[in-house]
Amino acid sequence: MDEKEHIRLIGGSANSELAEEISSKLGVPLTPIEVKRFNDGEIYCKVKNSVRGCKVFVIQSTSNPVNENLMELLILVDALKRASAKEITAIIPYYGYGRQDRKAEPREPITAKLVANLLTKAGVDRVITFDLHVEQIQGFFDIPVDNLEAIPQIAEYLLDKKIVDPIVVSPDVGGTKRAIRLAKLIDAPLAIIDKRRPAHGESKIMNVVGEVKGKTVILIDDIIDTAGTISKAAEVMLEKGAREVYICASHAVFSGKAIEKLGSDAIKEVIVTNTIKIADEKKIGKIKIISVASLLSESIKRVYEGLPLGVLFEGIYDRLAKKR
Ligand code: R5P
């Protein structure tokens, strides 16, 4: 793209590698910013070059440390608004607090909605994100939200591996739609695990709907956080006679003992994306990271030019059809 035009790209602290990858794919340099902390921990952000009249794209996942990254994004947007940016698009590859999407018990907050309010109030005009925990979060905003998906890229990777006798398994009932989507794209059957959560951060497998015996299981979730859900599911799949277990997820939160659990012999390979920056020490051999940079850079280009995003996946769908 012609960098003289009124487009500006800004990479927040959360995932500078992804921001740089997007910048190089678009041929648009990152606008320099200064981010620092005051002695009391308050964040200071300054955009170093003019953004007056520009369409600005700020790339910032609200991943761990979620409050720091969210606050940095809000402050950057405020700075851009006050600097007369024409339009501000928040590219939030991982939307933190997305799992707090409903009031399940009395006196609970709906923090995913609060975050949407904060972003809108700060001055965001549009959001581009990936695989929201639940699609309804789009409705928490009264501005356009493009919720892109990583599943077609994951599907292509799996088809290229030519996995023998695959079956796609959802680790919980809530993820069934996601698993159906992957199963269709790779033309595989489906099974569902009935998982319950006795308390926050705890999970219990009650039942498996479907036959996984002798099959190569592909477990798909949106998020791997502590890896408790997925590692327990992998063990149960092997107990039920599965041949091997692959794990896929869009967002590699990888907190607590996640890497230890993913290292277990029960898991053959872990396929994730780079919506969240993965620290080098967490990149163990069996983790395959698929980049979302191409999809995001094409989305930025299309939003900038006022073109629809629906066609973004056409190329990959054609390739998948040939590979099935
Ligand atoms: C829950 O509804 C999500 O889809 C994931 O299953 C969950 O966040 C994974 O968390 P963990 O890895 O800590 O079990």
Side-chain angles (χ1 to χ4, degrees):
M1 284 174 86
D2 184 350
E3 67 179 80
K4 291 190 287 297
E5 291 183 62
H6 293 290
I7 181 169
R8 296 288 180 273
L9 269 190
I10 291 184
S13 313
N15 200 340
S16 47
E17 280 169 24
L18 177 61
E20 272 156 27
E21 214 183 317
I22 293 170
S23 152
S24 93
K25 282 190 188 294
L26 278 173
V28 174
L30 289 169
T31 295
I33 54 168
E34 182 184 359
V35 179
K36 64 179 185 186
R37 298 281 178 286
F38 289 107
N39 290 334
D40 61 356
E42 285 181 6
I43 303 172
Y44 169 87
C45 298
K46 179 181 158 86
V47 180
K48 290 195 164 174
N49 295 347
S50 171
V51 293
R52 186 174 295 274
C54 293
K55 292 188 180 179
V56 186
F57 297 83
V58 189
I59 303 154
Q60 176 82 326
S61 273
T62 47
S63 50
N64 188 19
V66 53
N67 299 329
E68 295 287 307
N69 287 332
L70 172 62
M71 200 61 205
E72 183 184 304
L73 175 58
L74 293 169
I75 294 172
L76 276 170
V77 171
D78 186 70
L80 291 166
K81 197 85 196 157
R82 291 173 196 282
S84 305
K86 185 178 174 198
E87 192 180 282
I88 302 166
T89 301
I91 311 271
I92 311 176
Y94 172 69
Y95 187 86
Y97 284 113
R99 286 172 286 180
Q100 296 188 44
D101 60 326
R102 69 193 193 290
K103 200 173 153 180
E105 286 176 25
R107 297 173 299 285
E108 280 189 340
I110 305 180
T111 315
K113 166 68 177 153
L114 170 66
V115 170
N117 287 346
L118 291 170
L119 288 164
T120 311
K121 191 75 194 164
V124 170
D125 296 297
R126 169 186 290 273
V127 172
I128 299 178
T129 185
F130 255 93
D131 290 320
L132 287 167
H133 179 58
V134 289
E135 285 170 8
Q136 297 88 299
I137 293 174
Q138 290 172 93
F140 292 178
F141 291 86
D142 286 324
I143 54 173
V145 177
D146 293 301
N147 182 27
L148 307 181
E149 58 166 355
I151 290 181
Q153 279 181 279
I154 292 174
E156 186 166 34
Y157 177 78
L158 291 168
L159 283 178
D160 286 343
K161 287 189 90 75
K162 304 207 179 312
I163 289 173
V164 180
D165 231 347
I167 182 164
V168 176
V169 180
S170 174
D172 55 31
V173 176
T176 306
K177 205 172 151 202
R178 189 178 302 119
I180 291 175
R181 177 107 180 93
L182 179 63
K184 271 193 184 156
L185 289 179
I186 65 167
D187 197 16
L190 176 82
I192 299 160
I193 294 175
D194 175 17
K195 176 194 88 171
R196 311 275 166 92
R197 278 206 184 274
H200 286 169
E202 275 177 45
S203 62
K204 197 168 174 199
I205 292 178
M206 312 298 287
N207 211 349
V208 179
V209 184
E211 181 57 84
V212 298
K213 195 166 179 197
K215 299 210 177 270
T216 305
V217 163
I218 301 166
L219 277 163
I220 175 139
D221 209 343
D222 58 335
I223 298 169
I224 300 177
D225 186 349
T226 63
T229 302
I230 215 87
S231 61
K232 205 172 276 179
E235 281 165 23
V236 171
M237 293 297 99
L238 290 181
E239 280 163 28
K240 300 264 179 201
R243 186 190 304 181
E244 280 178 332
V245 180
Y246 287 78
I247 285 176
C248 313
S250 306
H251 308 296
V253 173
F254 290 174
S255 68
K257 295 196 171 149
I259 296 302
E260 208 177 290
K261 287 182 188 153
L262 295 175
S264 144
D265 289 342
I267 298 166
K268 169 93 173 160
E269 192 174 337
V270 181
I271 300 136
V272 291
T273 78
N274 60 348
T275 57
I276 297 175
K277 183 181 172 170
I278 303 175
D280 285 343
E281 66 274 16
K282 293 187 177 176
K283 290 179 183 162
I284 55 171
K286 67 166 81 168
I287 296 181
K288 162 76 188 170
I289 304 169
I290 294 175
S291 180
V292 294
S294 295
L295 272 177
L296 284 176
S297 51
E298 190 54 33
S299 310
I300 290 172
K301 192 166 169 246
R302 298 190 76 82
V303 167
Y304 179 71
E305 291 170 354
L307 298 171
L309 298 191
V311 295
L312 271 183
F313 293 92
E314 279 178 0
I316 195 163
Y317 290 150
D318 287 346
R319 293 201 298 278
L320 288 173
K322 284 183 194 132
K323 289 176 182 182
R324 278 196 287 266

